[in-house]
Amino acid sequence: MRHLVMLMAAWLCLAAAPAMAVTADPAPPVSFEATFHGMGIGRGRLVSRAIGLDRGFLVWTKGRESGGVFVLEQFFRFDDGETDRRTWRFRRTAPGVYVGERQDLAAPAKLWIEGDRVRLSYDIWLKRRGKAPMRLHCEDRIIRLASGALLSRGTISRLGVPVGTVETHLIPDPVRRPQGR
């Protein structure tokens, strides 16, 4: 319970902070697993001017290793009350290179470490009421800020044309991190 209170307090600080350009230097590089291991809480926004979408959300994450695979669970609560759960499974294929799977992917995701950044490239099937699913491409760039928070900025495109963006600020729970990471 204490961990939940701490995460909520951190989120409130993040939510109360005014939106601003990130000027802080990123922290030194760490491994992908260490970056997402344990619990985290964040706030984000999905925007698509093409369809008039501006949707805020809260996200809770839980990362763990399981049988040679890194599992990252994401629980979303959108501002309109809708919820969603996604589970990533990443397998390392080379140093700093991973292949990922998730229930709504059109093909395996590619994740790689680029200096102090994590890059993630994947295609999803977007379900549409009464219509065939639409294939969208996502490119995410994730950095750890000097504060320890993670900043993820993504571009969503359709047939090579950008149609939306998503930005998420995630605060990892330092109490839940394994020792030595």
Side-chain angles (χ1 to χ4, degrees):
M1 183 65 167
R2 187 179 78 187
H3 300 296
L4 180 60
V5 170
M6 212 165 75
L7 281 172
M8 288 304 292
W11 174 80
L12 287 172
C13 290
L14 179 64
M20 61 181 153
V22 176
T23 57
D25 292 329
V30 293
S31 76
F32 166 69
E33 294 90 343
T35 299
F36 288 98
H37 195 278
M39 306 282 289
I41 186 170
R43 184 147 181 78
R45 182 157 299 285
L46 174 62
V47 177
S48 174
R49 290 194 172 99
I51 61 170
L53 179 70
D54 187 349
R55 198 170 187 205
F57 59 87
L58 294 176
V59 61
W60 292 265
T61 63
K62 180 180 177 185
R64 65 184 174 8
E65 295 187 46
S66 176
V69 173
F70 187 78
V71 178
L72 180 63
E73 296 175 285
Q74 300 172 308
F75 305 92
F76 294 88
R77 180 167 184 82
F78 292 90
D79 290 350
D80 63 6
E82 184 180 339
T83 60
D84 193 9
R85 177 182 177 163
R86 298 180 190 147
T87 302
W88 286 95
R89 297 184 192 295
F90 291 100
R91 183 177 40 85
R92 185 162 36 151
T93 58
V97 180
Y98 301 79
V99 171
E101 296 177 357
R102 193 174 83 185
Q103 52 273 49
D104 62 341
L105 294 185
K110 297 174 188 149
L111 182 144
W112 64 100
I113 308 299
E114 208 173 65
D116 59 358
R117 289 166 165 50
V118 174
R119 299 280 312 265
L120 181 60
S121 179
Y122 57 100
D123 289 352
I124 62 168
W125 289 113
L126 177 67
K127 294 179 184 175
R128 303 183 301 165
R129 207 174 292 158
K131 296 181 180 179
M134 180 188 306
R135 188 172 183 155
L136 297 175
H137 180 71
C138 304
E139 288 285 334
D140 297 347
R141 296 156 313 281
I142 305 161
I143 62 171
R144 180 181 296 278
L145 304 175
S147 66
L150 300 174
L151 173 62
S152 174
R153 288 187 171 142
T155 302
I156 304 163
S157 58
R158 168 89 172 126
L159 302 173
V161 177
V163 295
T165 60
V166 62
E167 182 169 300
T168 308
H169 293 236
L170 186 71
I171 300 172
D173 180 358
V175 176
R176 294 265 191 182
R177 301 237 171 257
Q179 296 299 321
R181 291 199 182 197

